[in-house]
Amino acid sequence: MRFRPGRFDREKTGMLRRFCPAHAVASLPEISLDDLKAEDKSLILLDVDHTLVKWKQEEFSPEVLAWIAKAKEMGFHLCILSNTRHPERLQRLATQLGIEAFRGRFKPSTHMYEMALEKYGRRPQEAVMIGDQIMTDVLGANRSGIDAIWVQKMEGPEFIGTKFNRMMELLVTSLLYRSLVTPVDAIDANPGNLPFFERAIVKQILKFGFVGGISFVIDFTIRYLLVRKISFGGEKLSNTAGRWLLDHFPTIFKFATRPDAAFMPIAVFIAASVAMFNSFLLNRSFTFKVKSDEGKGQQLAKVYIVGYIGMGLNILISSGLYNIIPGHPDRSIAVSAVCAAVIVAAWNFVGQRYFAFQVHKEG
Ligand SMILES: [Mg+2]
């Protein structure tokens, strides 16, 4: 998962408050010790695996070592809180850093947090917990009244139980990200900081696909009724109209092997025009979230321009396929419509986003 750093507004998180860190950063050395000092923090509690060092490893990066050394120099008390099943490794790590380590009941139990507060004689507000897991480090800290800083997990494999926690974490964080206080500029400058499903374009494509699904149903229903269902005087409309087209414009409709196939382009035009209006309404408000009413008429015109060019493609592709796909006409009409819809959807997305609504130019 990609990681978006920043400060969280915990007032906004509601029921998820207990899972919400005060702060998210990419790695431990990026945490400003001056800021912690300014916030009157004097006790730093640290998780081990994927926060200080990779799982099972014992070699600290020079940046981590420098950060720890500076923290000590500035007068912070530091201590490790760990659930590890390998106390010897924990002891070696703590000795290397020259700080204390507590082992206790599994986080998110408040047990180890309380041990540390008591040992150093601090109040919860004076402490900060730094860890890479929401379900243990952050939740445990919040339950103890301690601010938590959530760091991105280091690269590399992890304990199998941790993987389960990560799934819960993904669920919780995708909701929490909405309460992240980050200037819009910063996100624009580096959209790569956003988790995949939080990226504007990904959301737009998903929503556009959803709207497209509705438009497709509208389009197909109208088309199906026109070509296959509506009859006048005991004969299908598509056959009557198709024969008329073949009689009067034999050159244009010579592609058609049956009268109803000649009528197909007309049915496509009517159905698509209705579907396009649906697409305009829903994509404008739901997909691209256009707020102001300014230029609404122009946007509608542009959606129709994009749509009619797309329909040209649609007529070419679906009529061509309806004409050549063998088998029952019900099947031919469905297959040809699906193929054309996929290609035309891509065209329409690009046309609406960059030409009609021009959302890429906004924040
Ligand atoms: Mg960890």
Side-chain angles (χ1 to χ4, degrees):
M1 190 187 99
R2 300 297 285 265
F3 198 87
R4 182 169 141 198
R7 192 169 284 279
F8 287 89
D9 180 354
R10 277 189 282 183
E11 297 310 315
K12 280 199 204 160
T13 54
M15 278 166 57
L16 291 172
R17 199 186 157 88
R18 286 201 149 187
F19 299 94
C20 187
H23 216 152
V25 292
S27 68
L28 176 93
E30 280 179 33
I31 298 169
S32 160
L33 289 162
D34 293 320
D35 286 357
L36 292 185
K37 190 119 258 184
E39 287 166 26
D40 284 328
K41 305 292 182 195
S42 53
L43 173 61
I44 300 175
L45 309 174
L46 296 156
D47 169 57
V48 177
D49 290 319
H50 288 309
T51 297
L52 283 171
V53 69
K54 288 185 188 186
W55 184 50
K56 285 191 171 171
Q57 300 195 2
E58 299 193 19
E59 197 135 318
F60 296 103
S61 76
E63 291 79 21
V64 167
L65 290 173
W67 190 90
I68 297 281
K70 190 178 169 209
K72 285 201 258 181
E73 207 180 286
M74 288 172 71
F76 286 99
H77 292 290
L78 295 121
C79 97
I80 295 175
L81 307 186
S82 176
N83 309 126
T84 186
R85 293 161 304 147
H86 304 283
E88 307 81 20
R89 169 174 171 263
L90 179 64
Q91 210 39 63
R92 285 194 298 274
L93 292 171
T95 310
Q96 244 194 93
L97 296 178
I99 63 180
E100 245 189 295
F102 289 106
R103 263 182 85 217
R105 281 203 289 280
F106 275 82
K107 294 176 264 186
S109 157
T110 57
H111 180 228
M112 286 190 291
Y113 298 86
E114 278 156 8
M115 274 168 76
L117 290 177
E118 197 181 305
K119 161 93 196 223
Y120 292 98
R122 304 284 144 174
R123 291 170 301 142
Q125 308 89 278
E126 295 170 303
V128 64
M129 171 72 194
I130 302 169
D132 67 299
Q133 283 195 62
I134 295 279
M135 306 313 290
T136 58
D137 304 317
V138 174
L139 181 57
N142 283 339
R143 293 183 67 209
S144 316
I146 296 171
D147 282 341
I149 298 176
W150 182 39
V151 298
Q152 180 163 24
K153 165 197 173 297
M154 293 174 171
E155 295 285 315
E158 34 186 15
F159 177 59
I160 183 107
T162 308
K163 289 189 175 154
F164 175 75
N165 280 342
R166 293 287 180 207
M167 287 194 281
M168 307 287 291
E169 190 174 287
L170 194 67
L171 217 81
V172 171
T173 50
S174 56
L175 296 168
L176 280 179
Y177 268 119
R178 287 176 204 156
S179 7
L180 196 54
V181 186
T182 305
V184 172
D185 298 1
I187 299 169
D188 279 351
N190 193 1
N193 281 340
L194 284 169
F196 186 72
F197 284 107
E198 288 289 310
R199 290 182 205 173
I201 187 149
V202 177
K203 280 184 170 175
Q204 285 167 6
I205 289 172
L206 292 174
K207 286 179 171 180
F208 190 85
F210 178 71
V211 172
I214 297 172
S215 297
F216 177 77
V217 171
I218 293 172
D219 183 293
F220 180 75
T221 306
I222 295 173
R223 203 187 287 197
Y224 182 78
L225 293 175
L226 288 174
V227 177
R228 302 284 309 149
K229 286 289 168 211
I230 297 176
S231 300
F232 288 108
E235 174 139 46
K236 281 198 180 110
L237 165 74
S238 57
N239 282 329
T240 318
R243 245 191 319 274
W244 186 86
L245 291 168
L246 284 170
D247 287 347
H248 291 79
F249 308 98
T251 333
I252 300 177
F253 293 97
K254 68 167 184 258
F255 67 86
T257 51
R258 302 180 301 269
D260 66 337
F263 179 69
M264 189 65 174
I266 312 292
V268 169
F269 180 84
I270 297 168
S273 296
V274 179
M276 252 182 251
F277 191 67
N278 170 68
S279 170
F280 165 76
L281 289 179
L282 290 183
N283 283 326
R284 188 173 190 280
S285 57
F286 170 67
T287 308
F288 298 116
K289 292 192 188 315
V290 179
K291 298 254 156 53
S292 107
D293 271 345
E294 199 187 322
K296 200 171 177 178
Q298 218 179 18
Q299 289 165 358
L300 177 64
K302 284 178 171 177
V303 166
Y304 268 102
I305 292 170
V306 170
Y308 282 126
I309 295 172
M311 209 181 61
L313 292 172
N314 205 333
I315 290 174
L316 279 178
I317 299 164
S318 53
S319 308
L321 290 179
Y322 184 63
N323 196 45
I324 58 171
I325 293 172
H328 194 278
D330 280 354
R331 180 176 165 273
S332 302
I333 193 174
V335 175
S336 63
V338 170
C339 295
V342 171
I343 299 165
V344 175
W347 160 263
N348 279 331
F349 179 79
V350 172
Q352 288 194 14
R353 184 171 199 267
Y354 294 93
F355 174 64
F357 298 120
Q358 309 202 351
V359 281
H360 62 291
K361 287 183 181 167
E362 291 167 20

